Amino acid sequence: MSDRDKLVVEVIGAHNLMPKDGEGSSSAYVEVEFENKKLRTGSKQKDLNPVWNERLVFDLPDPAGLPYRSIDVSVFNDRKSAAGAGGRNFLGRVRISGSTVASGKDDFCAVQMYSLEKRSLFSHVRGEITLKIYLSTEEGRVVVDGESKPQKQLKKQKQKPNQNQQQQSQNSKKQQKPQEQQQKQVQRTVQQDPIPSDVKPVVITAASSGGPPPEMYPHGGFGFVGSGGAGGADFALKETKPLIGGSAPIRDKMSSTYDLVEQMQYLYVRVVKARDLPMGDSVQAEVKLGNYRGITKRGVEWDQVFAFSKDTIQSSTVEVFVRERDKDDFIGRVAFDLGEVPRRVPPDSTLAPQWYRMEDKKGEKAKGEVMASVWFGTQADEAFSEAWHSKAAGVQPDGLGSIKSKVYLSPKLWYLRITVFEAQDIVVPSAGGGRYPELFVKAQLGGQALRTRGLSAPLWNEDLMFVVSEPFDDYLSVTIEDRVAPGRDDVLGRVALPIAAIERRMDDKPVVSRWFGLGEPKAARFGTGRVHLRLCLDGGYHVLDESTAYSSDVRPTEKKLWRPHVGVLEMGILGATNLMPTKLLKDGKGGGTADPYCVAKYGNKWVRTRTVVNSASPRWNEQYTWEVADPCTVITIGVFDNCRVDGGGGGGARDARIGKVRIRLSTLESDKVYTHAYPLLVLHPSGVKKMGELHLAVRFTCTSVASVLQLYGRPLLPKMHYVEPLTVRLVEMLRYQATNAVAARLGRAEPPLGREVVEYMLDHGAHAWSMRRSKANFFRLVSVLSGILAFGRWVESVRSWHRPIRSVVAVSAFLLFDLCPELILPSVFLATAMVGLWRYRGRPRYPPHMDTRLSYAESVYVDELDEEFDTFPTSRGPEVVRMRYDRLRSVAGRIQTVVGDLATQGERMQALLSWRDPRATFLFVVFCFVLAAGFYTVPMRVVVGVWGVYAMRPPRFRNRMPSPMLSFFRRLPTRADSLL
């Protein structure tokens, strides 16, 4: 044979394939046909960006005739990998002329990327495939039944199909490990070094036989910015096995209530006060342990706690010095031997402090005593949150308050509704000369102001709504004004009303309206009149301060309407790893540093961990608990970099965002501890970046399973949202007011929770226009509709008789149902229930997380990111362009929301049998069994008749509340939780 008697087609990978399995993904394989011979690769399960790196080798008897032949490369979805399915779906094809095959050695052949083409006019195809085609004399590997094997061994394998299978499987796994490691390294490289917008993608020559993974090639074309795929290990959710309290080999009393974190040992020193000192009150205490020391405030009564991490202890004694102000010499000291220090474990009572006689420099008794206590404990100790920590020794005194862990409570928010009816006896002095007055009512509360439309006659009948927070210390100002000219309004009367005096209501019963006399704005020469208003504080609504897709609380404002909680959410914030530095070092040179802390928000309870100073891998190990009133809610956890450590809280300093995680409680199984490392992903103008990993331990416990299951039939929001619904635009405006109210209240706490933290946790500004989000929502909708299209293709395949056996079975079933129509609905519900039970084996084991592929962040363009991070209004052009650009973004933002809502409804349909919410799927499966039995026993005509009469009943017999089925449907989880 010559040295060119083999045609080698290396299938490296594909990118952005069309999902075909009805779950938003595909199990793709490649089939190559040359000279009536077909070879195929293995199937990559549920991956829209598969990587094969497999070589398919064809015999080439006549190399001279290769330029006159073609190579057909087709990509298919392997439906054998899906439960209960078979066959394949077409994903695209490429026809390559033999004249383009490289004639040199395979080491110098270039890798080429081809766009996948349609097979017919109605084919749905997208994506690219990366190939390397050359001539060689080497043997390759082909795939038979999903297993890769050398060609020379095919005949032997056919003769002995059951031998050495286990050994071959182990060898295949060993060969895949280097490729996976190489893929991870490439993804890190691309993540750290995104492709500039002014550099065109180049073809990279593959030096190895396997070829590099496709992540090395900029599939997005010119200006593409990406950092790997969601399927890569960098952006994946990882299960961890921390040594938390529940898994510790030796359990103590702390493990029963503080068992979701790793135990951290601390030496606590409480210095209370001193007495009988010769110097008076100008003294301070100093606690010293090895190289660490903490200093109290000045005076004789301190009551401060110092905590020294046990892994940093390098001394056998801890000393307490009492020093005179601004002097180095000490008045006296007390030393404690660490070998004699007791150990305290909650819920033991706190250790009582004692008076200790001090010693001078010579070891003799000095005048004065100090009250102190010393003990060993863990982070479960009550003194942990208020203690001065040894690892914060370098923090300035002004910044010590900002590094402590705290629990915050959001203010109680109310909707204030003002109904403006009419006004009487209003005198308009500026009217005349043929000008008609333009009267309107303006209501102002703090920095918020709303107004009615302008009318010539004072009859408005309009509602104005505000968000107010307790305590009600403000006054509502209502004025009647006349628009005299553009930019000029005359005040005709004013009334000021205290918010605390306004009536509260819990239902839709109207509040009695009143006439209010208008005071004179100036020394009036005319009567000021009166205005007819109805004021009430609506406590039956839930004031939305979060995005409705990620709401953590759906209870009404009035506590009398609250139902008992149905569960408890426990979260252990263990730590983070590989955090990206966000601040330069103090000398301004290389590297960088971070002072991270974590914030978790659920309901009205916010928690903030302590700040770990100068650490890229902080260990918090703090545990918090929330009462859960509804499991169909979301908890949000964010990581931030503290900018106030050095006392720089002023000057508009803002804590940097490192990333956040959202977890929907309904996707968690009861009483199961989830320990995972969540990737912290943030979108920057240069692309999506991984800022580190957050390690959490989460457990959701139900107090009563029956109560939780009963909730699925109740409305998601309180009754008032359905009896007197608010418009979408009004809800968004009120949400903006609620965010400002929460940020203002938490900003006055100590330590304050910055506005930038509150806005990031509440997704403030998430509804702004973004080309990336619009694409993500569109493809979510396409993924939902792909199931309907797949069913249509299946019906067409049955009609075409491509598979006679399947067609015969389908026609027989149709004739059976035609003869016995009463079996249709029972069979459909029974089959649906069986599919749900079958999918129970493949239910998601991990909670959902941020998905860069679903968010369309892995193949975003530079100009799209520039548009997303642009200011509003835009700063990219002249005034005309600015006006048009802002209008486009406003309209497109609403379209984006509508598309997302449509996708949400479809994803809820998919969630019925996906076991993402195990309780909801269980209820639906049981419901299907009941319906199957009911439709089997009750005649179909009776069912249709009863349903028709029920659907056409008069409006007076209808309830304005949503039905249990609709309420159940609205509680189902969606993939919106995974959007970045």
Side-chain angles (χ1 to χ4, degrees), residues 204-218:
I204 303 176
T205 302
S208 61
S209 60
E215 280 77 8
M216 293 187 67
Y217 312 110

Side-chain angles (χ1 to χ4, degrees), residues 421-423 436-440 453-461:
F421 294 107
E422 58 178 332
Y436 290 97
E438 186 179 350
L439 303 177
F440 62 91
R453 64 186 186 277
L455 300 174
S456 58
L459 297 172
W460 295 282
N461 288 324

Side-chain angles (χ1 to χ4, degrees), residues 61-127:
D62 184 15
L66 180 61
Y68 307 99
R69 297 178 175 88
S70 62
I71 306 167
D72 292 329
V73 180
S74 302
V75 185
F76 296 96
N77 169 46
D78 188 6
R79 291 196 293 178
K80 293 181 181 179
S81 60
R88 64 184 185 180
N89 301 111
F90 178 74
L91 297 178
R93 71 175 183 179
V94 176
R95 175 165 290 183
I96 304 168
S97 174
S99 60
T100 61
V101 177
S103 58
K105 295 183 179 180
D106 56 344
D107 289 344
F108 299 96
C109 299
V111 175
Q112 299 289 337
M113 183 174 61
Y114 304 89
S115 297
L116 295 176
E117 301 174 354
K118 296 182 178 181
R119 182 168 55 185
S120 64
L121 180 62
F122 301 100
S123 299
H124 296 275
V125 172
R126 76 179 186 199

Side-chain angles (χ1 to χ4, degrees), residues 71-252:
I71 306 167
D72 292 329
V73 180
S74 302
V75 185
F76 296 96
N77 169 46
D78 188 6
R79 291 196 293 178
K80 293 181 181 179
S81 60
R88 64 184 185 180
N89 301 111
F90 178 74
L91 297 178
R93 71 175 183 179
V94 176
R95 175 165 290 183
I96 304 168
S97 174
S99 60
T100 61
V101 177
S103 58
K105 295 183 179 180
D106 56 344
D107 289 344
F108 299 96
C109 299
V111 175
Q112 299 289 337
M113 183 174 61
Y114 304 89
S115 297
L116 295 176
E117 301 174 354
K118 296 182 178 181
R119 182 168 55 185
S120 64
L121 180 62
F122 301 100
S123 299
H124 296 275
V125 172
R126 76 179 186 199
E128 300 86 21
I129 187 171
T130 308
L131 303 172
K132 180 180 177 184
I133 306 176
Y134 54 89
L135 302 177
S136 176
T137 58
E138 297 181 3
E139 289 289 339
R141 301 181 70 85
V142 298
V143 175
V144 178
D145 296 333
E147 190 173 357
S148 179
K149 306 176 186 300
Q151 282 183 325
K152 291 183 178 180
Q153 298 180 4
L154 283 179
K155 295 182 179 179
K156 298 180 180 179
Q157 183 65 27
K158 289 180 179 179
Q159 296 173 357
K160 299 180 179 181
N162 296 324
Q163 295 180 2
N164 300 327
Q165 291 184 356
Q166 184 176 3
Q167 183 65 28
Q168 290 176 358
S169 177
Q170 294 176 356
N171 294 338
S172 176
K173 292 181 180 179
K174 292 180 180 179
Q175 292 175 358
Q176 291 176 0
K177 288 182 179 180
Q179 296 175 2
E180 293 176 355
Q181 295 175 357
Q182 183 183 12
Q183 180 180 354
K184 294 177 184 178
Q185 182 64 31
V186 171
Q187 289 173 349
R188 297 191 194 100
T189 304
V190 178
Q191 178 182 353
Q192 297 171 1
D193 235 351
I195 301 171
S197 60
D198 56 348
V199 179
K200 290 186 177 181
V202 297
V203 177
I204 303 176
T205 302
S208 61
S209 60
E215 280 77 8
M216 293 187 67
Y217 312 110
H219 297 292
F222 182 78
F224 169 75
V225 176
S227 42
D234 266 354
F235 292 167
L237 184 69
K238 304 174 185 177
E239 187 174 8
T240 59
K241 295 183 179 180
L243 192 62
I244 59 179
S247 59
I250 301 177
R251 294 176 59 91
D252 53 20

Side-chain angles (χ1 to χ4, degrees), residues 853-886:
R853 183 181 304 161
L854 179 66
S855 305
Y856 219 78
E858 62 176 4
S859 57
V860 66
Y861 292 84
V862 174
D863 59 328
E864 295 176 1
L865 286 176
D866 179 73
E867 181 183 27
E868 184 168 351
F869 284 91
D870 189 13
T871 58
F872 192 90
T874 180
S875 58
R876 295 296 187 268
E879 297 298 326
V880 175
V881 177
R882 175 178 301 181
M883 182 270 295
R884 295 176 179 175
Y885 188 46
D886 293 345

Side-chain angles (χ1 to χ4, degrees), residues 114-407:
Y114 304 89
S115 297
L116 295 176
E117 301 174 354
K118 296 182 178 181
R119 182 168 55 185
S120 64
L121 180 62
F122 301 100
S123 299
H124 296 275
V125 172
R126 76 179 186 199
E128 300 86 21
I129 187 171
T130 308
L131 303 172
K132 180 180 177 184
I133 306 176
Y134 54 89
L135 302 177
S136 176
T137 58
E138 297 181 3
E139 289 289 339
R141 301 181 70 85
V142 298
V143 175
V144 178
D145 296 333
E147 190 173 357
S148 179
K149 306 176 186 300
Q151 282 183 325
K152 291 183 178 180
Q153 298 180 4
L154 283 179
K155 295 182 179 179
K156 298 180 180 179
Q157 183 65 27
K158 289 180 179 179
Q159 296 173 357
K160 299 180 179 181
N162 296 324
Q163 295 180 2
N164 300 327
Q165 291 184 356
Q166 184 176 3
Q167 183 65 28
Q168 290 176 358
S169 177
Q170 294 176 356
N171 294 338
S172 176
K173 292 181 180 179
K174 292 180 180 179
Q175 292 175 358
Q176 291 176 0
K177 288 182 179 180
Q179 296 175 2
E180 293 176 355
Q181 295 175 357
Q182 183 183 12
Q183 180 180 354
K184 294 177 184 178
Q185 182 64 31
V186 171
Q187 289 173 349
R188 297 191 194 100
T189 304
V190 178
Q191 178 182 353
Q192 297 171 1
D193 235 351
I195 301 171
S197 60
D198 56 348
V199 179
K200 290 186 177 181
V202 297
V203 177
I204 303 176
T205 302
S208 61
S209 60
E215 280 77 8
M216 293 187 67
Y217 312 110
H219 297 292
F222 182 78
F224 169 75
V225 176
S227 42
D234 266 354
F235 292 167
L237 184 69
K238 304 174 185 177
E239 187 174 8
T240 59
K241 295 183 179 180
L243 192 62
I244 59 179
S247 59
I250 301 177
R251 294 176 59 91
D252 53 20
K253 286 183 289 184
M254 174 261 195
S255 301
S256 59
T257 57
Y258 216 67
D259 59 342
L260 294 183
V261 293
E262 300 179 9
Q263 294 190 24
M264 302 175 67
Q265 301 295 327
Y266 287 90
L267 173 65
Y268 291 97
V269 181
R270 179 186 293 274
V271 183
V272 183
K273 58 184 177 180
R275 67 182 180 185
D276 299 336
L277 298 178
M279 305 301 177
D281 297 343
S282 60
V283 297
Q284 58 185 168
E286 175 185 324
V287 180
K288 183 177 181 182
L289 177 64
N291 296 327
Y292 297 96
R293 67 171 187 168
I295 301 177
T296 66
K297 59 186 178 182
R298 293 169 181 174
V300 293
E301 294 187 1
W302 308 294
D303 196 16
Q304 291 184 237
V305 181
F306 300 84
F308 300 88
S309 179
K310 193 174 183 180
D311 55 5
T312 62
I313 295 178
Q314 300 178 353
S315 176
S316 60
T317 59
V318 58
E319 299 173 292
V320 178
F321 297 89
V322 177
R323 301 181 185 275
E324 190 177 357
R325 179 178 180 180
D326 299 330
K327 290 187 178 181
D328 296 334
D329 293 339
F330 60 87
I331 302 174
R333 62 181 286 270
V334 177
F336 299 91
D337 185 1
L338 298 186
E340 303 296 330
V341 173
R343 172 180 170 84
R344 175 181 176 264
V345 178
D348 290 348
S349 300
T350 57
L351 191 65
Q354 301 180 19
W355 287 105
Y356 294 91
R357 174 71 66 178
M358 295 189 295
E359 299 177 351
D360 57 14
K361 296 181 180 179
K362 300 180 181 179
E364 299 178 355
K365 291 184 178 180
K367 187 177 181 181
E369 294 179 320
V370 62
M371 178 181 286
S373 59
V374 184
W375 72 94
F376 279 109
T378 65
Q379 73 270 33
D381 201 291
E382 293 86 351
F384 177 79
S385 60
E386 296 294 335
W388 174 92
H389 291 267
S390 58
K391 292 187 177 180
V395 179
Q396 299 295 330
D398 294 340
L400 286 176
S402 66
I403 66 174
K404 296 181 179 180
S405 58
K406 288 291 182 180
V407 175

Side-chain angles (χ1 to χ4, degrees), residues 11-14 44 47 49-53 179 183 212-215:
V11 183
I12 296 177
K44 295 297 181 180
D47 193 351
N49 298 290
V51 179
W52 290 284
N53 285 327
Q179 296 175 2
Q183 180 180 354
E215 280 77 8

